[in-house]
């Protein structure tokens, strides 16, 4: 990998959820844990873009809801995503890196 | 004829209720916040209570604790009626499965008669302790201020009733219905139970809701449940072949651990508010924890025999650590 400079476009990953009560704590967690993430709200859908890498942390979602959370629950409201998925019990991340 | 369909986005005029927006600003709020914030009646009371001169129907002055904002005492579990009932329903299903497992394999009958009798002697009078906990948490709900604090207290009251019911069911599974009656008689007459009964009955007439919260939920329950369900049921009975009892009471320690998060959070926020609050809470805590520990000593001996002192000291140390973490001067 070469060092990034501002003129080079950076590849983005994205993830989109249904806009509902269940995905709100997840979206809040993503925006809190990824400084560069931006959320775009369209009717019924929230699409989050993030350059390079996006991570969803179980701990942060649990902080938001006060309830135990299994990361696989996010599949219920997941609409679409792009990027290589890397998933374990604590983190769900998307990136184009190898 | 040609029809063109277009998606139009309609922005809602407001994101949440005005009473919630007053606390959080106009942005989407969780169900928990919408069920709680601004739900405490605060004005337009037509009548003053005739039974308590000098107070309004709902009054912050019923406790010596002073809070700038009573809604600051949030429940970290974020329970409102629906999420609380759903959580409890799931636990009830798990308990039913446990009962089915124990009954289908006759695990209770495989325990020795002496062990079964001892379990009933130790655990069945606790039905009355749990009922005291129910009454006290109803009292906290009724005399306290702010839905953030009073609503979980009501849930907690109902949970205490659930604990009493699980103990009843345990008694009926292990022995004949007469065992419940025997537990009641022990509670009323046997010398070992009298200090604890005195503690429970004295707590029923505590008028300050936050003091009562400390006396019941932190001091008494914080010692009793770890002592009798972790030390006695999980550790002591398991090696004697009483694992069935742990399965049939599984809800109780699980609930205790979960609700401790709420209790600690309330104490922490109230103590951090001011020097005045911290002094009051610390004073109540040390006074009640001493009393609760000495009230539980004969019960610990009844349950654990020679191991009683060590077990009681352990749970006391653990509770002290909890109180210190919540910001009390211990």
């Amino acid at each position: 990998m070469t060092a990034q400079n501002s003129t080079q476009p950076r590849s983005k990953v994205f993830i989109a959820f249904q806009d509902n009560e269940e995905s709100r704590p997840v979206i809040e967690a993503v925006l809190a844990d990824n400084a560069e993430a931006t959320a775009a709200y369209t009717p019924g859908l929230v699409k989050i873009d993030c350059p390079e890498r996006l991570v969803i942390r179980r701990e942060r979602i649990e902080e938001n809801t006060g309830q135990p959370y299994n990361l696989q629950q996010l599949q219920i409201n997941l609409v679409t995503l792009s990027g290589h998925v890397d998933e374990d019990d604590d983190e769900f991340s998307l990136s184009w890196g190898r | 004829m040609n029809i063109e369909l277009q998606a139009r986005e309609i922005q809602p005029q407001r994101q949440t209720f005005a009473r919630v927006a007053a606390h959080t600003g106009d942005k989407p709020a969780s169900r928990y916040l919408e069920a709680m914030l601004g739900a405490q009646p605060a004005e337009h009371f037509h009548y003053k209570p005739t039974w308590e001169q000098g107070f309004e129907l709902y009054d912050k002055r019923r406790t010596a604790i002073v809070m700038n904002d009573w809604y600051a005492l949030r429940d970290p579990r974020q329970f409102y009626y629906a999420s609380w009932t759903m959580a409890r329903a799931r636990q009830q299903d798990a308990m039913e499965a446990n009962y089915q497992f124990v009954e289908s394999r006759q695990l209770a009958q495989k325990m020795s008669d002496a062990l079964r009798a001892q379990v009933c002697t130790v655990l069945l009078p606790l039905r009355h302790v749990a009922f005291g906990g129910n009454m006290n948490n109803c009292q906290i709900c009724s005399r306290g201020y702010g839905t953030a604090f009073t609503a979980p207290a009501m849930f907690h009251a109902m949970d205490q009733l659930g604990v009493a019911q699980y103990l009843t069911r345990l008694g009926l599974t292990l022995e004949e219905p007469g065992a419940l009656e025997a537990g009641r008689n022990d509670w009323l007459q046997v010398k070992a139970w009298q200090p604890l009964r005195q503690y429970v009955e004295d707590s029923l007439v505590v008028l300050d809701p936050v003091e009562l919260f400390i006396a019941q939920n932190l001091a008494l329950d914080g010692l009793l449940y770890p002592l009798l369900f972790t030390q006695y049921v999980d550790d002591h009975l398991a090696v004697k072949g009483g694992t069935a009892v742990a399965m049939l009471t599984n809800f109780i320690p699980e609930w205790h651990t979960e609700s401790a998060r709420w209790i600690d959070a309330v104490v922490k926020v109230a103590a951090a508010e001011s020097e005045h609050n911290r002094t009051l809470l610390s004073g109540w805590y040390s006074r009640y924890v001493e009393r609760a520990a000495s009230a539980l000593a004969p019960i610990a001996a009844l349950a654990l025999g020679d191991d009683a002192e060590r077990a009681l000291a352990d749970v006391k140390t653990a509770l002290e650590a909890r109180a210190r973490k919540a910001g009390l001067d211990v």
Side-chain angles (χ1 to χ4, degrees):
Chain A
M1 291 293 287
T2 52
Q4 292 287 343
N5 62 47
S6 54
T7 54
Q8 258 186 333
R10 301 161 74 194
S11 60
K12 279 188 175 181
V13 293
F14 70 78
I15 188 163
F17 294 102
Q18 294 170 2
D19 188 5
N20 62 23
E21 185 64 31
E22 273 186 357
S23 39
R24 196 179 322 133
V26 181
I27 294 157
E28 279 172 8
V30 174
L31 295 177
D33 282 333
N34 302 275
E36 293 184 289
T38 50
Y41 289 80
T42 50
L45 196 79
V46 185
K47 179 168 175 280
I48 305 170
D49 288 298
C50 190
E52 308 294 343
R53 183 168 183 271
L54 176 145
V55 61
I56 306 177
R57 293 197 180 88
R58 180 177 56 85
E59 222 170 57
R60 179 74 68 167
I61 300 172
E62 288 179 350
E63 236 168 74
N64 290 347
T65 61
Q67 299 295 323
Y69 191 87
N70 179 341
L71 271 182
Q72 297 187 336
Q73 282 171 255
L74 58 83
Q75 309 279 350
I76 297 169
N77 298 298
L78 178 64
V79 179
T80 174
L81 55 80
S82 82
H84 296 304
V85 176
D86 180 19
E87 176 175 29
D88 62 21
D89 286 348
D90 300 318
E91 286 191 358
F92 178 104
S93 66
L94 296 169
S95 65
W96 289 118
R98 277 282 158 223
Chain B
M1 192 173 122
N2 206 352
I3 299 176
E4 239 181 86
L5 290 178
Q6 264 189 335
R8 291 283 300 277
E9 189 177 358
I10 302 169
Q11 286 292 351
Q13 294 208 351
R14 56 190 70 79
Q15 300 287 350
T16 182
F17 302 106
R19 61 178 169 80
V20 178
H23 289 267
T24 61
D26 189 25
K27 58 176 200 278
S30 71
R31 286 279 168 84
Y32 166 66
L33 294 176
E34 292 190 339
M36 172 197 79
L37 289 173
Q40 168 72 51
E43 51 197 10
H44 307 316
F45 302 142
H46 287 222
Y47 304 102
K48 299 226 174 198
T50 48
W51 63 90
E52 205 171 13
Q53 296 297 316
F55 284 111
E56 293 285 352
L57 268 181
Y58 301 101
D59 206 319
K60 299 170 180 176
R61 294 168 305 155
R62 284 201 172 91
T63 173
I65 294 291
V66 182
M67 293 294 294
N68 188 22
D69 173 17
W70 279 92
Y71 286 108
L73 301 175
R74 307 260 170 107
D75 177 0
R77 303 167 301 174
Q78 300 193 24
F79 276 157
Y80 57 100
Y81 186 72
S83 60
W84 171 70
T85 41
M86 284 189 287
R88 293 296 175 255
R90 271 199 305 275
Q91 287 168 297
Q92 169 70 12
D93 285 344
M95 283 297 282
E96 289 299 336
N98 285 358
Y99 264 91
Q100 222 163 14
F101 184 88
V102 169
E103 280 166 2
S104 67
R105 287 166 185 74
Q106 299 205 315
L107 294 183
Q109 284 70 32
K110 292 195 170 82
M111 288 163 59
S112 71
D113 288 354
L115 187 63
R116 275 216 307 278
Q118 202 237 356
V119 169
C120 288
T121 308
V122 174
L123 294 185
L124 290 189
L126 295 179
R127 296 163 70 222
H128 305 278
V129 182
F131 186 61
N134 164 269
M135 305 251 289
N136 282 336
N137 278 287
C138 285
Q139 174 90 325
I140 292 165
C141 177
S142 133
R143 301 183 61 83
Y145 190 88
T147 312
F149 177 55
T150 55
M154 196 65 224
F155 299 150
H156 204 66
M158 298 315 286
D159 289 337
Q160 294 265 15
L161 215 49
V163 168
Q165 289 179 347
Y166 279 128
L167 289 169
T168 306
R169 201 167 159 187
L170 173 77
L172 294 174
T173 306
L174 295 182
E175 299 276 358
E176 296 300 309
L180 302 180
E181 190 74 20
R184 178 170 159 268
N185 292 337
D186 283 359
W187 176 247
L188 292 173
Q189 284 144 18
V190 169
K191 193 160 168 277
W193 287 100
Q194 297 321 298
L196 184 57
R197 186 174 147 219
Q198 171 121 42
Y199 184 103
V200 170
E201 289 180 4
D202 284 352
S203 72
L204 295 177
V205 292
V206 172
L207 286 177
D208 184 314
V210 184
E211 181 184 350
L212 185 55
F213 180 88
I214 298 288
Q216 172 70 46
N217 295 342
L218 186 64
L220 178 61
D221 289 355
L223 292 173
L224 181 127
Y225 288 100
L227 177 73
L228 290 174
F229 288 92
T230 310
Q231 300 272 359
Y232 174 64
V233 172
D234 288 353
D235 301 347
H236 182 81
L237 284 182
V239 291
K240 289 184 159 184
T243 314
V245 179
M247 284 187 73
L248 300 183
T249 55
N250 179 31
F251 168 78
I252 302 171
E254 201 176 72
W255 160 78
H256 175 74
T257 310
E258 174 228 90
S259 62
R261 284 171 55 211
W262 164 60
I263 291 154
D264 293 359
V266 169
V267 174
K268 193 171 187 163
V269 172
E273 172 102 358
S274 67
E275 191 64 37
H276 163 86
N277 285 1
R278 207 180 68 229
T279 313
L280 267 181
L281 290 165
S282 305
W284 286 332
Y285 168 78
S286 28
R287 202 169 75 233
Y288 282 109
V289 89
E290 283 313 317
R291 272 201 63 188
S294 59
L296 283 169
I299 311 303
L302 188 74
L304 298 155
D306 300 338
D307 201 22
E309 269 182 40
R310 189 227 24 109
L312 194 55
D314 279 2
V315 296
K316 217 175 147 185
T317 313
L319 183 61
E320 220 161 74
R322 255 180 78 187
R324 205 172 298 121
K325 207 171 153 202
L328 298 186
D329 313 316
V330 210

